[in-house]
Amino acid sequence: MVKTKYYAVAKGRETGIFRDWATTKAQVDGFTGARYKSFSTEQEAQSWLADLQKGTPINKKTTATNQQSTRSSQFDAANQIRVYTDGGNRNTGNVRGGHVKTADLSAWAYLIVTPAGECYDDTAGEHGATNNKMELTALKSALTRLQQLGLQQAPILMTLDSHYVLDPITKGWLAGWQRRGWKKSNGEPVLNLELWQQISDLLPNFTQLNMQWAKGHATNDGNNYVDQLLNRTMDQM
């Protein structure tokens, strides 16, 4: 028997309770700061919306067992927060990843999925930014949002498809850059310095952060979602 789901949208193009994912998805996909959740009964969905409107904290301990968003189940969420970040650029220059022209479209996106099924995403674009800058901006933005949500002490698994971002953090290069006055081992200055410095300031606040690489445009649903989100942003620029 197919179980009925009720989708409560607290922040989206339209808010309220919806009975199917297709309609719900249309309200939240690409909507900055979208907030929504799925429930097994309409009463639970109404209570969740009412609590948010009143500003009443939601008791996640009592709801997490049987209330899980569609996105959360799609992305195989475990007992940790799942975070996906991505950046992109429609480069019309001569070299992939470089020689970006001022009119080229660029964008970043992130998705945060909590074990309780709450989802947070955001995206933005600009002209003439490199792919690497967008990848870094996505990470910085996700870390900032996690801290705003008070989740920096929680276990977090962050998935990204950029070795440019991942390797300096996981292989200790970032610490070396700092010791050398933000220069690489060959003496060259670190590019995207301001973003790297902001990320370096944010990372120590996260006590249980694990990062992993995923092949882009492949089988990871979360990675595919943020890729689609940033491409939609570029389409709308």
Side-chain angles (χ1 to χ4, degrees):
M1 183 177 67
V2 179
K3 293 183 178 179
T4 302
K5 279 185 174 290
Y6 297 83
Y7 302 92
V9 178
K11 187 175 181 182
R13 293 179 180 86
E14 292 186 22
T15 60
I17 299 171
F18 303 90
R19 295 290 297 274
D20 65 278
W21 172 238
T23 303
T24 307
K25 189 172 185 289
Q27 312 313 318
V28 300
D29 256 15
F31 188 91
T32 302
R35 190 171 186 185
Y36 59 97
K37 196 172 179 181
S38 68
F39 299 88
S40 57
T41 69
E42 186 173 7
Q43 183 177 2
E44 290 172 336
Q46 289 174 342
S47 296
W48 185 75
L49 284 176
D51 285 340
L52 287 181
Q53 291 169 354
K54 292 186 297 185
T56 305
I58 297 172
N59 187 346
K60 294 182 179 179
K61 290 184 179 179
T62 60
T63 61
T65 301
N66 54 15
Q67 296 174 3
Q68 185 180 44
S69 77
T70 299
R71 259 197 219 161
S72 178
S73 61
Q74 283 180 332
F75 301 153
D76 191 30
N79 293 322
Q80 56 190 341
I81 296 166
R82 295 278 181 139
V83 182
Y84 306 87
T85 68
D86 197 14
N89 166 262
R90 293 179 182 171
N91 187 354
T92 61
N94 296 322
V95 180
R96 184 177 178 86
H99 299 290
V100 177
K101 296 182 179 179
T102 55
D104 285 348
L105 303 177
S106 309
W108 57 266
Y110 69 73
L111 168 66
I112 299 169
V113 183
T114 73
E118 293 182 318
C119 301
Y120 307 88
D121 60 22
D122 200 5
T123 179
E126 62 179 277
H127 290 88
T130 63
N131 180 80
N132 288 340
K133 181 183 178 183
M134 293 294 92
E135 295 277 9
L136 288 171
T137 304
L139 174 60
K140 183 208 73 172
S141 301
L143 291 172
T144 300
R145 185 68 182 279
L146 286 163
Q147 190 163 268
Q148 290 170 346
L149 294 168
L151 300 175
Q152 63 269 31
Q153 305 299 317
I156 299 168
L157 178 62
M158 182 170 288
T159 302
L160 55 163
D161 61 14
S162 171
H163 280 294
Y164 171 81
V165 176
L166 188 63
D167 289 351
I169 297 171
T170 60
K171 296 183 178 181
W173 303 348
L174 185 57
W177 295 348
Q178 290 177 274
R179 289 194 301 270
R180 290 187 292 269
W182 293 101
K183 293 183 182 296
K184 297 181 180 180
S185 58
N186 61 6
E188 293 181 357
V190 174
L191 299 179
N192 298 306
L193 177 58
E194 183 177 353
L195 284 166
W196 276 118
Q197 289 175 329
Q198 292 171 338
I199 289 169
S200 180
D201 289 340
L202 285 165
L203 285 173
N205 299 321
F206 294 83
T207 59
Q208 300 185 74
L209 175 64
N210 292 299
M211 306 181 78
Q212 67 177 7
W213 179 83
K215 184 178 180 180
H217 318 294
T219 58
N220 186 289
D221 288 334
N223 177 261
N224 288 334
Y225 176 85
V226 288
D227 177 71
Q228 293 168 5
L229 191 58
L230 70 88
N231 272 286
R232 189 178 298 115
T233 295
M234 288 190 282
D235 289 341
Q236 295 170 352
M237 289 173 65

